[in-house]
Amino acid sequence: MAASYHTCLLVDDNYIDNFVTRRLLESSNFAQNIIVTESPTEAIQMLEDGTVKPDVIFLDIRMPQMSGFEFLDAYDKLDFNKADTKIFLLSSSFDPTDIKRSDDNKYITHFVHKPLTYKILEELP
């Protein structure tokens, strides 16, 4: 089965969550390339300098260095075509404020509750 996407960027400060999510993405052949970083500032830098051009970004909300929403503010200022990139918030948060903010953000394709599963992957828009 061919990969659905070329490049997937996973941004989450939790090593274990990254390990589990990466394994799931690899075993489902979700993307040809899966790039993982625990640092949202590093992710912004990779996007800014063009070393990563993802079709899909899985983004955690609650990270100590920079929240997912702060990442999205920085992402908004980057100068490249964002229309071809889907961003999925991947979070354990059930806070209605987080869900509302994600619904209101023009870059977020869908809010996904952790843990990511094969079923959720199949249902992603």
Side-chain angles (χ1 to χ4, degrees):
M1 170 190 232
S4 301
Y5 296 99
H6 186 268
T7 302
C8 175
L9 176 61
L10 174 59
V11 184
D12 193 326
D13 65 306
N14 186 301
Y15 174 81
I16 298 297
D17 285 348
N18 282 338
F19 179 80
V20 170
T21 302
R22 180 185 196 124
R23 295 293 299 213
L24 177 81
L25 293 170
E26 288 172 343
S27 67
S28 67
N29 200 28
F30 185 77
Q32 290 176 11
N33 303 303
I34 300 169
I35 297 151
V36 180
T37 181
E38 293 177 25
S39 167
T41 55
E42 179 183 23
I44 288 293
Q45 186 60 51
M46 289 188 291
L47 293 167
E48 185 173 40
D49 65 22
T51 56
V52 173
K53 295 177 182 169
D55 306 288
V56 175
I57 299 172
F58 284 99
L59 176 65
D60 189 21
I61 294 176
R62 298 227 163 72
M63 297 178 281
Q65 188 180 46
M66 171 190 281
S67 77
F69 293 111
E70 291 169 329
F71 172 93
L72 290 165
D73 289 341
Y75 178 83
D76 183 54
K77 295 175 181 136
L78 297 177
D79 185 26
F80 67 90
N81 182 6
K82 299 171 187 84
D84 296 331
T85 304
K86 292 183 178 183
I87 299 179
F88 298 106
L89 275 189
L90 182 60
S91 179
S92 56
S93 174
F94 282 90
D95 182 339
T97 305
D98 289 339
I99 296 168
K100 170 97 171 83
R101 284 182 75 186
S102 90
D103 288 343
D104 293 342
N105 189 289
K106 65 183 177 182
Y107 296 116
I108 297 174
T109 303
H110 193 67
F111 189 103
V112 178
H113 292 287
K114 288 180 182 178
L116 189 62
T117 64
Y118 291 112
K119 184 174 183 341
I120 290 170
L121 276 180
E122 289 173 3
E123 295 173 354
L124 288 178

